[in-house]
Every structure is written in C-alpha cells, then in structure tokens.
Amino acid sequence: MKKSISSALSLTMAFSLVLAGCSKGDTTTSSSPAAAPTTSTAAPKKTVKLKLWGGIPEESGPKDVVTKWNSTHPDIQVEYTRYVNDDSGNTKLDTALISNSDAPDIFFSYGETNYNRRANAGVTFPLDDLISKYKLNVDDIIGKDNVVPFKGKTHYLPAMKLLSSVMINQTALEKAGEKIPAQGWTWDDYMALAEKLNTSNQKGSFIKVPDDSMVRFAILENKPTDSYYTADGLSSFDSPAVKKGLEYQKALQDKGLSVKWPEIIANKLLPPNELLTGKAAMIFGGTHLLRNVKDAKSFPHDFKTIFAPVPQLEKGGKVNTAGFNDFMSINNTSSNKDEAFQFISWYLTEGNLLMIPGGRLPSSKKIDVDKVADLMVEDAANLINVDSLKALIKGDYTFPVQTISTALPEMTKIINEETEKYVMGVQPLEKAIQNMKTRADQAIKAEKK
C-alpha cells in the first residue's frame, strides 16, 4: 500500500512513543554539522548530493525516508536508487560500487554473504573514526555484540532486526483443526503440519530454494556462532544437522508437500506470492513480508496471516535463523563520507522508523514492541493475526553470528549445488554430505593460501 508523504511524516509525531528518549538523547542529529544552525555571512555551502542504494521499493518506506531527510537537511540531499535484491541486482550494485560515475555513497547489503563479498573486495569504508567523531553510541542503540567487525574494524551498521517466521494461512490452519505453533516447536512438527495442510488445491509448504533450503536452517540452528566452521577452521558440513536438513528438504518434494525444486528456480517463485494467492498454506518468510500481506491490491485475499516462530532441530530451542540485517556501509571511494555518516546516524535513530509500516523492525534496542506492531499493522488488522505478530516480536531468540568469512560465498554455493543434486535424486544422501564437506574444506584451504 502506498502511503502519502504527509501521512508518513505525520507518523513521526508518534515516534516518541516508539523510541523512549530518542529525541532528547540523540547526539547523532543534534551534534551533526548538517543540523547545526549557522551564523556565517560567507557564501552558502554547495549542496552535497548523496547517492543511496537499497533493495526496498520506494513506496515501502525509502521515499518517505528521503523526503523527510531532504526537507530538514538542505545542504545534504539524498537520492535513492532501488536495486532488486537478487543475483542480477546485487551484481548491478557491485558494478556500480567500482564505477567512476554511478557509484553510490551509501549502500545496503542484505545478508552476510553479500556484505562479506563487498568487504573482502575492499569497497566498504571502516566507520570507527566517524562513529567516534559524531558520538554515535552503537552499544546503546544496537548493541556492540550485534555488529561483527571485519579485520578489527566496523564496516557496516545494521538498520533492521529481521525475524524469520513461518507464515501460515489462518483459514487453512483452522480447517485442519490445528493451533498456532508456539516457540520451540520442531522441524518434525513442521513436516507433520505441512501434511495436514496439504490438499489437492493447496500445497502444505513452500520454502524458497536454494536461498532458504532446510539444510541451511539446520546448519544455523545447530551452531549459531560461525555455523559453517569447526574449531579447526574447516567446514561443519559433515554434522548430523546437515543430514537432517537434507532429509527434510527431499521429503517435502517426495511427499508432494511443496512445489518441486526445479520449478521453484525456473519460475522464480517467491514465498509471499505462493501464500497470498492461496497456492501454499505455509511459507518460510519473516516480518519483512508484512508489506506484501498488507498489499491487498497486488495480492487480493480474505484470510489472515499468522506469524509463527521458526521451527527448531530440537524441541525447546530458540534460534531465529535471521537476525540483524539491512547492513549500511559507506563506499570506500565516496568523497562525501562525513555527510554519508550523518545520514546513517540519523537513519539508525530516526529515519528507519519510517520503514516500520513496510514491515522492517528497527535495529534499535529502545523500541516499544506493541507500538511498533501497531505501526506495522496499520489498518490491515483484517489481514494479519496481530497477537501472533506481537508474540513473534517479543520472543527470546539466539541469532546466528558469523565472525569468520573464509570462502563463505563459495561454501554457500556448494550447499546449494549438492543439496539440489540430492533432492533431484542425482546422488545419494551420504555422497551429498561427503561432497559438501570435501568441496567446502578445499575452498577454505585454497583461500587461506
């Protein structure tokens, strides 16, 4: 749903209720040179134009963010460019980052694989001196442990806390006589529920592959910190969790509970479309898909969407496979690094509040969960099970953290390739695990040379 600029800006009047004490204690805007009044009689400063690249459609928050900033910072004007967060879109951003003419000053990376690739390529600028200069209290706002250093330096700041979730068609769940799953339910429970929800007209499950394969969920849940690596620095791909994940993924296809792997890839099927058009009763998604649930024009539907916690390998676990995201970085070649950081500081403490109606939960520790949930839902309570959304946001989670990035993009590719061959019956289970482990170890050793 598109929101008018005036309505979006009026929301900022309520944001003092969302972030306790944000406006009075925010040193990032009051101390910013861009915000300070000037009494100089010298010629006005030339307007700095910042290029900001992100993957969110303009109408889902970025347009309101840029309008709000530009209206209060005449000397620093931001222009937003959207890139689609897929392989071709990320390649477009990577190319732009090394361009002489089209290079963004600030850019968002979604997920550690995309961020780590850019950090290793040297296109991210270390932010530590700017954090100190503009007195941004990262620990107070985000929590220093939620920002992973790269070679001892801070190369990004996360703007969003992404919560993964199983999203369920409430009408389908009620027809099956089932209750909303509670935190700590297992992947075995998920498979059983998928069978009960499966009908001749509606698949019981949809999980986007290869990005969200159950193998990757299992690896993250089994070892949330540096999940892909063992203590000796090699891959963890021979763990029992990998076997379980592979078996779950193949069972979804073999039992007819999901669209087949090649069809998902060939037709570029997406979770919100499968759920909201009634093709699947249950998908793996997250709070960021609220914007799709609320978009009744693009996805006309008459059922409520339930937001259930992420299933666990073992009953009672509390790993949420997402975590902090929307990694904001400054291009290493930008000539406007100070101005870029002023925008980032403002965004982290104020600007990203305008992203809430689009389903993006701010990374700030000071948010009021109930009020944020209300802003997320807006006038779409008829399409959202609000209690389940609030319960999800309030959950107690362990988030995966990757402090090691050796051969990480290559390891992700290996997981995808070997999982696909197993699911499609090209190779047996043990061979898939062996190949995954051998290839990943080789990739790690090659990069360390």
Side-chain angles (χ1 to χ4, degrees):
M1 295 180 192
K2 292 188 178 180
K3 289 289 173 185
S4 67
I5 300 302
S6 59
S7 64
L9 296 184
S10 67
L11 280 174
T12 61
M13 299 296 293
F15 286 158
S16 59
L17 299 175
V18 180
L19 291 184
C22 176
S23 59
K24 291 184 178 180
D26 180 10
T27 60
T28 62
T29 53
S30 61
S31 63
S32 166
T38 178
T39 58
S40 173
T41 59
K45 290 170 56 179
K46 182 179 179 181
T47 300
V48 172
K49 295 184 178 180
L50 294 177
K51 294 181 179 180
L52 167 67
W53 280 44
I56 309 304
E58 275 194 311
E59 64 272 16
S60 295
K63 183 176 181 179
D64 296 331
V65 168
V66 169
T67 300
K68 176 65 174 178
W69 169 270
N70 287 345
S71 68
T72 55
H73 296 78
D75 293 337
I76 306 174
Q77 294 289 285
V78 174
E79 177 185 87
Y80 180 74
T81 296
R82 192 225 175 170
Y83 71 93
V84 179
N85 184 31
D86 58 14
D87 289 343
S88 60
N90 278 289
T91 299
K92 181 179 179 180
L93 172 58
D94 293 343
T95 302
L97 285 169
I98 57 176
S99 165
N100 291 325
S101 58
D102 198 34
D105 299 281
I106 309 165
F107 59 94
F108 287 93
S109 294
Y110 303 98
E112 289 158 332
T113 299
N114 288 320
Y115 159 72
N116 280 315
R117 181 179 67 255
R118 289 162 190 150
N120 279 298
V123 297
T124 58
F125 181 74
L127 304 175
D128 303 84
D129 290 343
L130 291 169
I131 289 171
S132 177
K133 179 177 180 178
Y134 292 99
K135 299 181 175 61
L136 180 68
N137 192 331
V138 175
D139 191 40
D140 186 51
I141 298 169
I142 301 169
K144 61 183 180 181
D145 293 337
N146 295 318
V147 182
V148 180
F150 176 74
K151 296 182 178 179
K153 297 288 186 179
T154 303
H155 283 249
Y156 77 93
L157 290 171
M160 181 185 76
K161 184 165 70 173
L162 174 62
L163 295 178
S164 291
S165 169
V166 172
M167 298 166 62
I168 308 172
N169 179 322
Q170 181 169 313
T171 300
L173 188 73
E174 291 172 348
K175 284 183 178 179
E178 295 295 315
K179 296 181 180 179
I180 298 174
Q183 186 171 355
W185 69 314
T186 67
W187 283 107
D188 286 333
D189 297 330
Y190 177 93
M191 297 296 291
L193 181 57
E195 291 196 51
K196 291 179 180 178
L197 295 175
N198 205 53
T199 68
S200 59
N201 299 317
Q202 189 175 64
K203 295 294 185 183
S205 168
F206 181 88
I207 293 176
K208 185 177 182 292
V209 295
D211 304 343
D212 293 333
S213 76
M214 296 172 82
V215 181
R216 295 175 69 177
F217 298 152
I219 293 172
L220 291 171
E221 290 183 9
N222 183 58
K223 187 174 177 285
T225 301
D226 293 324
S227 52
Y228 286 10
Y229 307 91
T230 57
D232 60 2
L234 295 177
S235 77
S236 63
F237 293 172
D238 58 349
S239 70
V242 170
K243 181 179 180 181
K244 273 192 171 184
L246 285 165
E247 290 173 334
Y248 286 136
Q249 189 68 59
K250 194 171 192 303
L252 281 179
Q253 178 169 299
D254 291 352
K255 293 182 177 182
L257 304 177
S258 171
V259 178
K260 294 186 181 298
W261 183 292
E263 185 179 342
I264 294 172
I265 295 175
N267 295 324
K268 298 181 179 180
L269 301 182
L270 298 174
N273 185 75
E274 297 303 294
L275 176 72
L276 300 175
T277 59
K279 295 175 183 177
M282 182 166 61
I283 65 169
F284 193 91
T287 48
H288 62 299
L289 297 183
L290 264 166
R291 71 174 187 264
N292 302 108
V293 175
K294 292 158 58 178
D295 186 0
K297 183 177 180 180
S298 300
F299 301 103
H301 61 286
D302 59 2
F303 60 85
K304 289 188 177 183
T305 294
I306 291 167
F307 288 81
V310 177
Q312 304 292 301
L313 281 175
E314 302 294 337
K315 190 171 183 61
K318 61 177 186 176
V319 176
N320 188 292
T321 54
F324 289 84
N325 211 320
D326 289 16
F327 301 146
M328 299 187 79
S329 298
I330 295 176
N331 189 351
N332 199 32
T333 62
S334 171
S335 57
N336 304 306
K337 295 183 177 69
D338 276 80
E339 293 84 358
F341 190 79
Q342 289 169 43
F343 176 82
I344 289 175
S345 297
W346 172 84
Y347 187 88
L348 292 172
T349 55
E350 182 179 345
N352 60 356
L353 298 174
L354 287 163
M355 302 292 288
I356 293 173
R360 306 192 89 72
L361 186 66
S363 55
S364 173
K365 296 190 292 184
K366 300 178 179 181
I367 60 171
D368 182 309
V369 170
D370 289 322
K371 291 183 174 64
V372 166
D374 290 339
L375 283 171
M376 283 182 160
V377 173
E378 295 182 297
D379 56 354
N382 62 314
L383 298 175
I384 298 166
N385 185 300
V386 179
D387 289 340
S388 70
L389 177 61
K390 289 183 178 181
L392 178 73
I393 298 174
K394 292 178 180 179
D396 178 23
Y397 306 111
T398 298
F399 293 110
V401 175
Q402 304 296 337
T403 66
I404 305 171
S405 59
T406 308
L408 190 58
E410 181 64 22
M411 293 171 76
T412 301
K413 180 182 177 184
I414 290 166
I415 293 172
N416 296 344
E417 291 175 349
E418 299 301 332
T419 300
E420 179 174 355
K421 286 188 284 186
Y422 167 65
V423 170
M424 296 307 299
V426 176
Q427 64 182 355
L429 178 62
E430 295 305 325
K431 183 65 174 176
I433 295 171
Q434 180 185 341
N435 286 351
M436 208 178 286
K437 170 67 174 172
T438 301
R439 291 181 61 194
D441 287 351
Q442 290 173 345
I444 292 169
K445 291 174 182 177
E447 189 165 307
K448 284 182 176 179
K449 285 183 179 179

